[in-house]
Structure formats: C-alpha cells, structure tokens
Amino acid sequence: MTSTETGAAAAPLGRRERKKAATRQAIADAALRLFLERGYDDVGIREIADAADVSTTTLFKHFPAKEALVLDEDEEQEARLLASVRERPAGQSIPAALREHALRYRMAAAGADERFAAFFDLVDGTPALRDYVQAMWLRHTVALAAAIAEDCGRPEGDPACTALAHFALEAPRAARGHDDPRAAITCAFALLERGWLSVGE
C-alpha cells in the first residue's frame, strides 16, 4: 500500500511535487480498488490507467512494474526495519527487536479496517505479489546486516550479522499457511535468538 494508506508522515511538498504525489496516489488507489474487486491477475495496466485518468506512459513513470502498484514503500520499509534495531529498548536483543518488527507488519491487519485486511489477503493469495514482496524484502539484507554489525561492534561483512539479517527477513514466510501466524513467526525467531546467543551479541 502507499504511504498515504499506511499513514506515514511526509515533508511539505511544492505545487509540482504535490501534483505528482496526487497522480501517483490516484493511480495506486485505482489499482488497489480494481485488484480487490476482480483479483490481481484479472486486471490489466491499461484498465488501471483508464480508471486513474492517466496514460500508460504516465503510469509507468510512477510505477515501473505492475507489482509496484500494490507495494511501493521499499525505502520506508527499510527505514523502519533499521530503526527497529537502532532504536530498540535497552536490554532487548536484536533478534527480539526484529521479531517485534515482523509481528507488527504481519499482524497489522488484525484490528485494521476491512480494506487493509483485504490488502493483506490480496498479497497472500497472489503468487506474483508474494514473490515480489519477498524479493523486495530480501533486498534489505545488506543494509540490515550493516546496522546489526554497527550496533554490536562487529566488522562490516561479518558472516553472523549477514546470516541473522537474511534469516530474520525470511522468517515471516513461516506464517504462511498457519492458523496462528503470530506463533509461527515467534517460533522462527526463537530459533534465531538461540543461534545469535551462541555467537554472542
């Protein structure tokens, strides 16, 4: 979902930037509405452009791929991910902080409005979107590993930090197909916690 949907704060924009942001939001809103109504695979790019009253060229200037119409918060996601390590409470381990971050993201639909819950169902029920989410998420491995290494005084490129970052980003996959996603994610991070303790935080 776009930053407007998730409530992320934004700096004041000039008129041109506001117009671009409004166009981008209109495209994202039209895409999500059509995807929720008919399913991701049954909606074409031209239909989305028509619904947003823009050309397909304009659409692709804002969104380079169809998947990005649904999931376009890569930079914001990375910032929140790194903050979960750097700004965690005193005494909380890095795996525990990453677990809480994963739970907040994965369980966000639990008490949210129906449209937000439908968004998660759309992603979970569409293989192309699931794969895109995971590929997008794993792109943060290097940055997360660097933040972990910096936090615990290890050298850049430390294999333990890289391993923790990679498996922490993979862990939410454990929730798929489980009746209790929270328990599945918690179990995955419990394994990571024990492994991390064995190398020393």
Side-chain angles (χ1 to χ4, degrees):
M1 302 182 84
T2 64
S3 58
T4 299
E5 291 290 338
T6 54
L13 301 175
R15 177 174 298 192
R16 183 177 181 183
E17 288 75 18
R18 287 199 305 272
K19 184 175 180 181
K20 288 175 65 175
T23 298
R24 180 181 178 85
Q25 190 64 50
I27 295 169
D29 287 346
L32 185 58
R33 175 175 55 79
L34 290 171
F35 291 155
L36 292 178
E37 288 175 356
R38 293 166 42 202
Y40 176 82
D41 294 324
D42 292 332
V43 176
I45 292 295
R46 184 174 295 277
E47 292 177 85
I48 297 168
D50 289 344
D53 196 24
V54 299
S55 67
T56 54
T57 300
T58 296
L59 185 150
F60 281 121
K61 284 181 180 178
H62 290 277
F63 298 95
K66 184 180 177 182
E67 295 87 352
L69 286 158
V70 181
L71 302 149
D72 67 334
E73 292 190 291
D74 205 24
E75 291 182 8
E76 293 92 340
Q77 290 283 6
E78 182 170 292
R80 288 192 288 268
L81 176 66
L82 301 186
S84 72
V85 171
R86 293 169 175 160
E87 301 171 13
R88 71 189 190 281
Q92 185 181 56
S93 70
I94 293 175
L98 292 170
R99 180 196 66 220
E100 293 307 304
H101 177 77
L103 288 172
R104 281 195 301 272
Y105 178 78
R106 184 62 184 82
M107 307 309 292
D113 62 40
E114 292 183 2
R115 191 164 183 256
F116 198 66
F119 163 77
F120 275 93
D121 289 341
L122 173 69
V123 172
D124 285 345
T126 308
L129 292 179
R130 289 201 309 266
D131 292 344
Y132 184 81
V133 167
Q134 194 64 15
M136 184 174 71
W137 197 229
L138 288 176
R139 284 202 296 270
H140 304 313
T141 300
V142 172
L144 178 58
I148 293 170
E150 179 183 6
D151 185 272
C152 60
R154 289 176 176 269
E156 185 176 352
D158 180 80
C161 297
T162 300
L164 176 58
H166 177 80
F167 290 113
L169 293 171
E170 281 278 14
R173 280 180 182 262
R176 290 182 187 165
H178 285 265
D179 293 333
D180 189 345
R182 176 178 288 276
I185 290 175
T186 299
C187 179
F189 275 96
L191 292 174
L192 293 180
E193 181 81 61
R194 289 196 288 273
W196 184 242
L197 287 174
S198 73
V199 298
E201 186 174 333

